[in-house]
Amino acid sequence: MADASRVVLGLGGCVDQELTLTADVLERLVTDYGIAAAELAAPPSAVHGERDLVVSILGYVAQGRGGEHFVAAAPALETFAGRFPHRTTLGGTSVRAGILLSRLGVPSTLHLVSVNDTVRRLLPAGTAYVSSGVADTYHPHLIVQYHQGLRIRAGDIDVTAPFPNRLIYVNDPANSALLLTGDLGDRLGHADVFLISGFNAMRDAAELDRRLAELRAHMRRLPPAAVTYFEDAAYHEPGFSRRVRDALLDAIDVYGLNEDELQSYLGRSVDLLSADQVADALTAVHALIPAPTLVLHTKYWAAAFGTNARRYADALDTGTLLAATRYAHGDDFTDADVDRLRRQPRRPESVAFAAALHERLGDRVHCVPGFALDVASPTTIGLGDTFVGGFLAALVRQEER
């Protein structure tokens, strides 16, 4: 395939400032801000400054969970990033997926809401994109990752991360508006695959409803055989998640989410290696989100659940392989890294889980076990985006065959 018009990836993108948390900086901030352990049990729902940001981060670290939040005070993001070594990258599910597709030789067209010199410099050469922005804007997102075992001890706080993960903090008016280009429908008229992501950043209900109606109108141009993949995320306004699902669900073929989003919908934790608990969770979330196929990607496995589960077997495996490669080798992984990892064994507990889940749910589910990896300093940023990119690449190649 050599036609970028056949894969359209939207709807927004961003510049990321990536950093890895360290105990010394966090302990100093806990002391300077006088943060107490009791605050971590109920972290602020709105992040108004750097103190709130630190409380929010520590609450997630204690649970080993990931998340995403709007930050009302944009300068707090720059202040916090300046306390750590950090690097500038491109982010957003669609952009990271598009960069991976480019590496795999699958052209695509990105729908962006803003560009700037950093975006132009970091996009792969020859990347096709359109932007709804009328002028350059620059509102970097703060992306923090932390490693398993990170321990913060200060005052009465003593927390240790049980798992590695990543957190996203944002103040980005362009992505909050999520304007669409007027010719999006024309572009979708040629598409085999359409990725929808980014609505989680919107914060105005009336504007959200207008944008959803506009997108529905554009999507009427999609060919009947096109596959529409929707990737979920943590909503800055949690109540908007239902509005987006109600507006788009009947036009979505595959609805993707991770374990944090699953557990948030259910309002309870789920043992991801218990076939009984996961079967119940998949059944419950599918009742809430009745897309033809749900795709759940987790740190232990990835699974498709629905009427077309087997159709996505290769896509699940490709997404899992590439996300694992990024976890182990970061942004700069090579084809040789992918080939080596492909030959590594799968996690024994995940293999047993996949068999038990199939026994419980039958052909309604297809589960791919994750790889057995022991990485001292893994990359936790962009794993879901990489999974999506690998999943879509396999779909495109499947359509070509």
Side-chain angles (χ1 to χ4, degrees):
M1 178 185 132
D3 186 354
S5 69
R6 291 175 58 190
V7 180
V8 179
L9 308 175
L11 296 161
C14 59
V15 173
D16 286 342
Q17 301 286 5
E18 297 184 6
L19 60 86
T20 300
L21 297 174
T22 58
D24 59 336
V25 175
L26 287 173
E27 288 169 353
R28 186 167 64 250
L29 288 169
V30 167
T31 300
D32 290 348
Y33 282 123
I35 297 169
E39 297 178 69
L40 308 190
S45 56
V47 179
H48 293 290
E50 190 181 37
R51 188 184 193 281
D52 286 348
L53 182 61
V54 175
V55 174
S56 175
I57 288 170
L58 290 174
Y60 279 111
V61 170
Q63 301 176 68
R65 294 187 62 181
E68 178 170 347
H69 288 278
F70 171 74
V71 175
L77 300 176
E78 184 177 357
T79 299
F80 188 82
R83 299 182 186 277
F84 298 84
H86 59 272
R87 67 189 193 116
T88 301
T89 63
L90 298 185
T93 295
S94 56
V95 173
R96 287 192 186 277
I99 291 171
L100 180 65
L101 286 167
S102 177
R103 291 188 58 169
L104 298 175
V106 179
S108 64
T109 298
L110 295 172
H111 179 288
L112 305 175
V113 294
S114 172
V115 294
N116 51 60
D117 288 342
T118 302
V119 171
R120 297 183 188 96
R121 175 172 56 86
L122 294 180
L123 278 178
T127 298
Y129 69 86
V130 295
S131 176
S132 61
V134 296
D136 284 15
T137 63
Y138 186 75
H139 301 283
H141 297 196
L142 175 66
I143 318 293
V144 301
Q145 66 175 346
Y146 57 89
H147 299 317
Q148 183 175 359
L150 174 68
R151 186 176 185 185
I152 299 97
R153 290 178 290 179
D156 67 342
I157 288 175
D158 187 350
V159 301
T160 301
F163 305 105
N165 219 315
R166 65 91 183 100
L167 302 164
I168 303 170
Y169 294 92
V170 179
N171 184 306
D172 185 344
N175 277 283
S176 293
L178 207 70
L179 297 176
L180 305 180
T181 61
D183 67 349
L184 178 58
D186 294 336
R187 296 179 182 279
L188 294 182
H190 303 283
D192 295 328
V193 173
F194 178 39
L195 170 65
I196 303 173
S197 63
F199 279 111
N200 63 300
M202 296 195 70
R203 303 186 63 249
D204 181 276
E207 194 169 20
L208 173 65
D209 290 343
R210 284 195 298 273
R211 208 70 71 246
L212 289 166
E214 292 167 8
L215 181 62
R216 283 302 301 250
H218 287 302
M219 290 176 68
R220 284 197 279 271
R221 301 285 301 279
L222 280 164
V227 175
T228 299
Y229 184 114
F230 180 96
E231 179 67 5
D232 211 342
Y235 279 74
H236 300 180
E237 296 290 336
F240 287 3
S241 174
R242 177 64 181 268
R243 298 173 91 107
V244 173
R245 295 198 309 273
D246 286 350
L248 298 180
L249 201 54
D250 67 334
I252 292 168
D253 299 296
V254 181
Y255 191 107
L257 68 166
N258 66 24
E259 64 259 45
D260 293 325
E261 290 138 15
L262 171 78
Q263 292 171 125
S264 177
Y265 284 129
L266 298 177
R268 66 175 188 271
S269 62
V270 176
D271 180 349
L272 295 173
L273 292 173
S274 165
D276 287 341
Q277 287 193 33
V278 171
D280 290 345
L282 283 172
T283 302
V285 81
H286 196 238
L288 179 69
I289 308 171
T293 305
L294 283 180
V295 166
L296 177 61
H297 44 93
T298 80
K299 56 179 169 281
Y300 297 121
W301 45 265
F305 180 71
T307 54
N308 297 313
R310 282 293 309 176
R311 175 187 178 186
Y312 300 110
D314 186 47
L316 289 170
D317 198 58
T318 303
T320 298
L321 169 65
L322 291 167
T325 307
R326 179 180 176 84
Y327 177 88
H329 299 286
D331 263 337
D332 300 323
F333 68 81
T334 65
D335 291 346
D337 293 329
V338 176
D339 290 339
R340 276 194 300 272
L341 200 143
R342 192 194 310 272
R343 295 191 294 271
Q344 286 190 214
R346 308 284 175 143
R347 300 176 71 125
E349 65 271 34
S350 298
V351 172
F353 165 84
L357 188 66
H358 184 266
E359 184 176 330
R360 176 77 187 269
L361 294 174
D363 290 340
R364 287 185 296 160
V365 73
H366 183 80
C367 183
V368 170
F371 289 87
L373 299 174
D374 184 9
V375 181
S377 299
T379 296
T380 57
I381 296 168
L383 298 182
D385 305 335
T386 302
F387 173 88
V388 172
F391 188 100
L392 297 181
L395 270 190
V396 171
R397 289 169 174 169
Q398 184 174 306
E399 291 300 318
E400 288 178 332
R401 292 195 297 268

